[in-house]
Amino acid sequence: MQNTYQELATLLASDPGRRRIPALACPEALAGAAKALARARRVALFSGFYIGQAAAWETDGPLGTLVLAATLSQLNIEPIIFTDEGAVDIFAAGMQALDIQTPLLGFAAGVAPADEHLLRLQPDAIIAIERCGQARDGKYYNASGLDVAAHVAHFDPLFAAAKSQGIPSIAIGDGGNEIGFGACLPEVEQLLGPRKQIACVTPVDYLIACGVSNWGGYALAALIAWERRSHLLIDQAMLIDTLEQIVAAGAIDGLSGRNTATVDGLPLTIELDMFRKLTSVLPSRTTHVVGETN
């Protein structure tokens, strides 16, 4: 399996946006995150990235979150989605497209929810996927350096609360300004260079850097299905339909700012091709059981 984790990490490190951050992708984080999720009974997922210039939430993040949530549900692991009040319609549309029946919680902008909102749910793991995180100066920056703190719920303290309770934490991001990148802050600041003020200082146990954050969600979904001796039920047609539904509900391309069924300014073919690659590299369970050890 080590070779498979390495192959997945290499795919995730693809950097079509030339952000440099995907260079931090590593197989160890993938392995640790997948195992933590596969052992869980309940998982809290945090997502939704607000694009200030467009006053809307982007397509990167929700799509990977929804694929992962659907797979968790398939495996009888309860997902609970945390997002901003303004992004609830987007996630609800995607949940309907994938027939996900699970709690969807929206939180007010500009403030941190009380720890109890998370801890009373007793999750076995938490994961942030493309979720804006707090910088050194306390602000929440998008990739352009715009402070969007007044427009998003502040979920960082919930990750600190989880750590205090020994709950494993995972994060997926592609820009360095998302929750989780505090796990390797010096490296992130070096890669960001003159833009280092946007770097998030909130750490997690397992940080998965990617060229596009959705990709990390796809990879983890495939991995936990494999860990549970199952397989991914979502195909490319379902992925396209889900993307179209969240766009119809108001999601935008985070780079172009347009209400189109694309992600991070890239042709849809790139997203679909990466989904195919990430979900098809795992060995058959028969091969694994006979010839490899975990």
Side-chain angles (χ1 to χ4, degrees):
M1 271 301 289
Q2 186 58 40
N3 289 340
T4 301
Y5 289 129
Q6 182 59 64
E7 185 175 355
L8 286 168
T10 299
L11 286 169
L12 293 177
S14 303
D15 191 10
R18 299 181 180 179
R19 299 181 180 184
R20 305 179 70 196
I21 293 297
L24 297 171
C26 72
E28 292 80 11
L30 272 172
K35 292 179 188 303
L37 292 174
R39 289 192 298 262
R41 293 169 300 173
R42 180 178 294 124
V43 176
L45 301 94
F46 297 78
S47 190
F49 203 107
Y50 181 81
I51 305 300
Q53 299 91 325
W57 282 260
E58 66 169 312
T59 52
D60 190 23
L63 202 57
T65 299
L66 290 161
V67 169
L68 181 55
T71 304
L72 290 169
S73 293
Q74 166 197 331
L75 300 171
N76 295 317
I77 303 170
E78 182 186 12
I80 301 173
I81 298 175
F82 286 62
T83 191
D84 304 298
E85 285 180 341
V88 165
D89 287 350
I90 291 170
F91 283 91
M95 289 169 63
Q96 183 174 0
L98 291 175
D99 193 25
I100 303 170
Q101 306 293 325
T102 199
L104 170 61
L105 309 178
F107 292 87
V111 294
D115 294 351
E116 183 63 19
H117 284 291
L118 175 68
L119 299 181
R120 66 179 173 80
L121 298 171
Q122 298 183 312
D124 300 298
I126 64 173
I127 178 168
I129 302 180
E130 185 70 5
R131 182 66 202 183
C132 190
Q134 192 172 51
R136 285 186 186 274
D137 60 7
K139 297 180 180 180
Y140 286 72
Y141 292 105
N142 65 14
S144 301
L146 180 68
D147 178 19
V148 296
H151 304 283
V152 299
H154 300 177
F155 288 139
D156 301 65
L158 297 186
F159 280 74
K163 182 177 179 62
S164 72
Q165 297 298 312
I167 301 170
S169 58
I170 304 160
I172 299 172
D174 58 22
N177 54 337
E178 300 95 348
I179 287 177
F181 279 101
C184 53
L185 188 59
E187 295 89 341
V188 172
E189 291 181 331
Q190 183 176 10
L191 289 170
L192 288 173
R195 299 171 53 246
K196 67 181 182 180
Q197 80 279 358
I198 75 171
C200 174
V201 298
T202 303
V204 290
D205 297 318
Y206 305 107
L207 172 65
I208 300 169
C210 315
V212 174
S213 294
N214 282 338
W215 301 351
Y218 306 155
L220 282 181
L223 280 168
I224 61 171
W226 187 89
E227 289 279 355
R228 286 290 193 97
R229 299 182 179 275
S230 185
H231 62 280
L232 202 67
L233 296 182
I234 296 172
D235 58 24
Q236 288 191 0
M238 296 168 70
L239 191 72
I240 293 171
D241 180 57
T242 304
L243 176 59
E244 291 176 344
Q245 293 305 314
I246 67 173
V247 168
I252 63 167
D253 183 303
L255 192 65
S256 72
R258 297 173 181 169
N259 184 228
T260 57
T262 54
V263 181
D264 281 358
L266 302 171
L268 181 57
T269 52
I270 291 180
E271 187 80 3
L272 296 176
D273 187 53
M274 187 59 73
F275 176 82
R276 178 186 60 79
K277 290 177 179 177
L278 290 167
T279 57
S280 63
V281 301
L282 290 167
S284 68
R285 257 302 179 179
T286 301
T287 300
H288 170 71
V289 171
V290 172
E292 296 187 57
T293 56
N294 231 355

